[in-house]
């Protein structure tokens, strides 16, 4: 191999906002036969928005449920947390009737620049969370001092346990999921939404349904990869039902869902061992870092998190999936020229 050809390759890549760390990454990319995609933020836009909510308890007002969920999520950097904060803020700003709220929310809550992000986190939720713990692949667990309105109806404000997250979180904490809650989840997940449950004092009081649309180029990119003779897989921490719906939209049959961050690297390792071919991993999150390292070629997409960028062999500066094609194609062309 001539180092010069590889350098030309990396130079062309750089012009397309594709950073390649070293010529050997380019060479390994040439041997890739399986491409594993993270779902959230990689195949989807990573800008999830709340599309529906439900309150299951008659003891908790909608506003209070929102305040408590938001107080808990204010500590989290997760995109789902951001969606809940944005929803809570716009609901609480416009009024109290949930019907009015639904119609005044024009589908998506204003899209995030940094001030928006700051604003969301700094909103003075009427209740305060403390000792918040983020639980990877599950959600958030914290203590919350209930809102003033509780005191107004004669109840003493006292600190309660608040959990915001998925089924696994509720199971871990011994919180039962009623038939009513389970049915709500089945319905929303069947529509491709992710459900986030909110439990106050060991009882599920409400839920959010959150949708994260596919990137418009995703379908084309997956079919182009298939034409290049590459198999596409999805690995995600999200639930099975939502993951299968996204996969079906893309024509992908190989799906692993409800995978914890460490598990993503395991999935990659298993594919390498079973198929004895090069495996590429494409991801954007902190969660994806171990898998990006394990893969023969780790591709971090979007400005990404610093950790993902560090773990990757390729960094795609734009969040455009077409760049995955450019990157893999470039390696082929470069090496055709070399050998
Ligand atoms: P992905 O692999 O799709 O990027 P993650 O591993 O980040 O997903 O999260 C997996 C699941 O864990 C989410 O779908 C959600 O159910 C739950 N989860 C994680 N963090 C939070 C949070 N801050 N709030 C609510 N749910 C969360
Ligand atoms: Mg992700």
């Amino acid at each position: 191999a001539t180092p010069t050809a590889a350098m030309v390759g990396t130079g062309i890549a750089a012009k397309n906002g594709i950073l390649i760390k070293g010529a050997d990454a380019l060479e390994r990319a040439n041997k890739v036969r399986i491409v594993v995609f993270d779902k959230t933020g990689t195949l989807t836009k990573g800008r999830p928005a709340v599309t529906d909510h439900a309150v299951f308890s008659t003891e908790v007002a909608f506003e209070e449920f929102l305040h408590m969920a938001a107080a808990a999520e204010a500590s989290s950097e997760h995109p789902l947390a951001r969606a809940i904060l944005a929803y809570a803020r716009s609901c609480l700003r416009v009024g109290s009737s949930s019907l009015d709220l639904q119609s005044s929310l024009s589908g998506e809550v204003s899209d995030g620049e940094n001030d928006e992000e700051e604003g969301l986190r700094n909103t003075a939720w009427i209740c305060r969370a403390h000792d918040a713990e983020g639980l990877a692949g599950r959600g958030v667990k914290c203590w919350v001092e209930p809102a003033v309105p509780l005191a107004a109806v004669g109840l003493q404000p006292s600190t309660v346990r608040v959990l915001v997250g998925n089924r696994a979180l509720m199971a871990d904490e011994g919180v039962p999921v009623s038939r009513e809650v389970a049915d709500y989840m089945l319905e929303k997940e069947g529509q491709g939404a992710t459900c986030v449950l909110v439990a106050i004092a060991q009882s599920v009081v409400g839920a959010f349904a959150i949708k994260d649309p596919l990137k418009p180029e995703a379908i084309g990119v997956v079919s182009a990869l298939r034409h290049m003779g590459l198999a596409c897989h999805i690995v995600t921490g999200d639930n099975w039902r939502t993951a299968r719906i996204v996969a079906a939209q893309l024509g992908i049959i190989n799906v692993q869902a409800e995978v914890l961050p460490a598990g993503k690297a395991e999935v990659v390792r298993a594919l390498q061992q079973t198929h004895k071919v090069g495996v590429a991993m494409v991801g954007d999150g902190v969660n994806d870092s171990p898998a990006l390292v394990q893969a023969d070629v780790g591709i971090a997409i979007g400005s990404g998190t610093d950790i993902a960028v560090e773990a990757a062999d390729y960094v795609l500066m734009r969040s455009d999936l077409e760049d995955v094609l450019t990157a893999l194609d470039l390696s082929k062309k470069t090496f055709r020229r070399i050998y």
Side-chain angles (χ1 to χ4, degrees), residues 235-254:
V235 59
T236 179
D238 205 349
N239 73 87
W240 274 101
R241 200 165 290 111
T242 311
R244 280 212 189 90
I245 286 186
V246 168
Q249 286 169 341
L250 296 167
I252 293 180
I253 47 170
N254 307 297

Side-chain angles (χ1 to χ4, degrees), residues 30-334:
N30 199 35
K31 309 219 162 73
V32 165
R33 292 295 171 270
I34 296 176
V35 183
V36 181
F37 288 97
D38 159 58
K39 179 177 73 71
T40 316
T42 300
L43 291 170
T44 65
K45 288 184 176 171
R47 286 248 163 244
V50 174
T51 52
D52 188 57
H53 70 262
V55 178
F56 303 113
S57 165
T58 50
E59 284 162 49
V60 179
F62 173 57
E63 288 78 5
E64 193 180 12
F65 155 72
L66 282 178
H67 274 291
M68 286 199 155
E73 290 285 31
S75 67
S76 171
E77 301 282 318
H78 202 279
L80 291 177
R82 201 186 165 285
I84 290 172
L85 288 172
Y87 186 71
R89 208 171 64 154
S90 52
C91 288
L92 293 167
R93 199 188 275 154
V94 280
S96 55
S97 147
S98 63
L99 265 180
D100 289 346
L101 300 174
Q102 287 296 342
S103 55
S104 61
L105 282 171
S106 50
E108 267 190 36
V109 182
S110 86
D111 239 315
E113 287 132 50
N114 277 340
D115 339 343
E116 178 70 12
E117 185 89 34
E118 279 284 287
L120 287 177
R121 286 190 202 291
N122 295 337
T123 303
W125 305 108
I126 54 173
C127 35
R128 271 184 327 187
H130 56 87
D131 294 311
E133 260 178 89
L135 303 158
R138 282 172 160 58
V140 175
K141 171 174 162 178
C142 64
W143 296 97
V144 172
E145 260 173 58
V148 187
L150 259 190
V153 295
L155 288 169
Q156 281 301 311
S158 62
T159 303
V160 288
R161 195 49 145 168
V162 175
L163 307 168
V164 186
N166 54 22
R167 286 183 184 84
L169 176 64
M170 299 306 152
D172 285 356
E173 300 294 324
V175 175
V177 172
S178 70
R179 181 66 187 271
E180 186 190 11
V181 175
D183 284 347
Y184 179 81
M185 295 180 85
L186 290 190
E187 183 198 333
K188 296 301 166 187
E189 288 170 358
Q191 297 161 5
T194 298
C195 285
V196 173
L197 302 177
V198 180
I200 301 177
Q202 297 298 95
S203 152
V204 176
V205 298
F208 297 99
I210 302 178
K211 273 193 180 167
D212 183 11
L214 277 181
K215 287 183 184 170
E217 74 276 17
I219 292 179
V221 168
V222 167
S223 90
L225 287 171
R226 210 171 283 131
H227 280 107
M228 288 163 72
L230 306 179
C232 294
H233 291 236
I234 292 179
V235 59
T236 179
D238 205 349
N239 73 87
W240 274 101
R241 200 165 290 111
T242 311
R244 280 212 189 90
I245 286 186
V246 168
Q249 286 169 341
L250 296 167
I252 293 180
I253 47 170
N254 307 297
V255 188
Q256 294 287 315
E258 297 174 28
V259 177
L260 293 178
K264 290 191 179 183
E266 265 313 309
V267 169
V268 170
R269 185 177 301 128
L271 288 171
Q272 289 166 325
Q273 279 173 1
T274 313
H275 301 283
K276 312 266 186 265
V277 294
V279 175
M281 168 78 202
V282 189
D284 70 321
V286 181
N287 284 349
D288 304 318
S289 304
L292 290 174
V293 172
Q294 174 64 36
D296 297 280
V297 178
I299 304 176
I301 188 160
S303 45
T305 42
D306 291 351
I307 306 171
V309 166
E310 209 162 288
D313 301 298
Y314 280 64
V315 181
L316 311 180
M317 311 291 264
R318 311 181 286 205
S319 66
D320 191 334
L321 281 170
E322 302 263 0
D323 291 342
V324 173
L325 294 178
T326 314
L328 294 175
D329 219 27
L330 191 69
S331 145
K332 264 199 188 141
K333 290 197 177 109
T334 307

